[in-house]
Amino acid sequence: MEYIVRTENLSKHFGKEKAVSGLEMKIPKGEIYGFLGPNGAGKTTTIRMLLGLMKPDSGRIEIFQKDLKKERLNILGRVGSLVESPSYYPHLTAKENLEAMRKILGVPKQRIAEVLEIVRLTDACDKKVKGFSLGMKQRLGIAASLLNNPELLILDEPTNGLDPSGIIEIRNLIKSLPSECGMTVLISSHLLSEIDQMATTVGIVTKGKMIFQDSIEAMRMFSQQSVLLKVSESDKAWRSLLGRGMKAGLDSGIISLPQQSDEQVAEAVRGLVADGFSVYRVEEEKRSLEDIFLQMTREEQAG
Amino acid sequence: MMGKLLAAEFMKIKRKGIWFLTVLGPIGVVAMQMVNYGVRKDYLFGQNDDRWGYYLDNIHSFTPLAIVLGIVILTSFMSSIENETNAWKQLIALPVSKMSVYLSKFTVLSILLLTSSVLLMLFTMAFGLFLDLGGEIPYTGLLKYSFYPFFAALPVLALQLWIATVSVNQGVPITLGILGVILTYAGFTLPDWLIWKWPLLLNEWNEPLINVLLGIGAGVLLYTAGMIDFARRDVK
């Protein structure tokens, strides 16, 4: 598979604290890669290293199959980015802000009007950014990241400070980028729901380590529901189910039946009743992606 | 790459009052002499037969202060442009090398200070002519007094830019700047090796050109050190 971004054993520490350790990130071409992790997990540090803003202590970064250390300028010319809180020059207008960047990037002038249109800032383009709301500044940041029509777009928490309709707009924009412009997108967030609605591939990082990296479908597999049974004499009941050749788990007096069809659940209940156990409750447990995410990050912290 | 960066830098200093200060500096220096000569013209004319030379000396008594103060204010303005919303991260993530970013900042500051120097020369000459000092206009002296202080102040510029770009707390460069202005003010009594004394164009050999050459030499050294340090650091 062609990887747009690939890191090998990437590490960075600040003083004694390890911000990123041994991170292996792989972003296939044309994907929207959701980079997920709790606050302080090392997402922004990783992104800063990808952009050459910080030098890794060890490890390698390849973008477009080229070594970032050797071909930084060449690579950055094809990357657009928005890192953390938006940066801007408050005394300049939105247009002038983009113009200052455009001069360096060397793209045609009309591109400014195009990106302003994309983020719906055309009406405010001659106002000083000083007076913009956080959401407008964020949009300006996104506009700036699109200026050079990048092949790889890196957005760090892009929906920060946007109102709900703004979030949906930006989400739709990001979703459309891979198919319409052939972009690969790396988007970081600490909100799983955000990533869930956009990403096609997910990487979960906590304490500077990548603990999960696969397609979003693979992650959803974890979230399949199970049926919980509360019965009398749960220990014996569990054994009797196992005796009938069924998959079942026992956790603090509650029997769980993972991934069973309706028919199989009915059969299990029938069996338990036939064996003389009282069935008090039959519940379905739905684990949201949120639960899985929390569980994953918690396990890592405990270990 | 430098051309593009410079174009962007000049765009960014718009509406910051930076050009205003660039013009205000030389006006201020000459205005001091307007007051001086306005109040006691006859007395001053009687002090020295070389009226032009004496007038230039008077002008020069304020130039070093103005240039060191100007450097402190301009460098602090320049770095505030990027520091205010931490635009460094956006700028450095563009396809530009960190060294050329640093060079572009230094170049813009040099151009601004040179503009001030040119204006100082013009204003000095204009007021000199207005005073009707008589005799030949001493063009060599005029050039020396207008441009030597800039070159002699290059180490101060390099040092201030370095400190201002790498300091998270802008109190640090401002404190150093104020200290520098005081040192320049007290320069007459200080040893020759202090860079803040150099714009006074005084040294024990009585040769201003030494200060110019020292300024360029030490300026290049401090500039290089600052640039390497800036390129080496992680962008916050």
Side-chain angles (χ1 to χ4, degrees), chain A residues 68-87:
Chain A
L68 181 69
K69 227 192 233 161
K70 288 178 197 137
E71 300 195 51
R72 184 173 160 266
L73 296 191
N74 186 352
I75 290 171
L76 287 182
R78 299 157 63 188
V79 175
S81 65
L82 169 65
V83 182
E84 265 188 328
S85 56
S87 292

Side-chain angles (χ1 to χ4, degrees), chain A residues 159-287:
Chain A
T159 49
N160 259 358
L162 293 179
D163 52 23
S165 71
I167 291 179
I168 294 170
E169 233 171 77
I170 295 301
R171 191 189 296 150
N172 290 337
L173 167 70
I174 291 171
K175 272 183 179 170
S176 70
L177 288 173
S179 52
E180 280 174 28
C181 314
M183 281 183 203
T184 304
V185 184
L186 164 61
I187 175 167
S188 88
S189 180
H190 58 271
L191 296 174
L192 185 115
S193 54
E194 200 58 56
I195 297 294
D196 187 24
Q197 294 179 62
M198 285 187 270
T200 52
T201 306
V202 189
I204 299 180
V205 67
T206 180
K207 297 225 156 173
K209 286 191 187 114
M210 190 71 91
I211 55 170
F212 177 88
Q213 184 169 234
D214 209 330
S215 68
I216 190 106
E217 285 81 21
M219 187 169 173
R220 288 211 180 93
M221 291 283 282
F222 280 97
S223 71
Q224 283 189 353
Q225 63 233 35
S226 54
V227 172
L228 301 183
L229 297 175
K230 198 174 174 196
V231 298
S232 62
E233 296 171 276
S234 53
D235 201 43
K236 276 188 191 164
W238 175 56
R239 278 168 218 277
S240 96
L241 279 179
L242 291 181
R244 284 167 190 271
M246 295 187 138
K247 269 194 228 159
L250 181 67
D251 184 27
S252 54
I254 293 177
I255 297 169
S256 61
L257 304 171
Q259 301 174 34
Q260 303 281 15
S261 67
D262 290 354
E263 203 46 56
Q264 281 168 312
V265 173
E267 199 191 315
V269 173
R270 209 178 298 129
L272 285 173
V273 173
D275 288 349
F277 298 103
S278 313
V279 179
Y280 304 135
R281 275 187 182 75
V282 181
E283 291 173 326
E284 192 175 49
E285 183 205 41
K286 257 200 181 143
R287 292 173 69 207

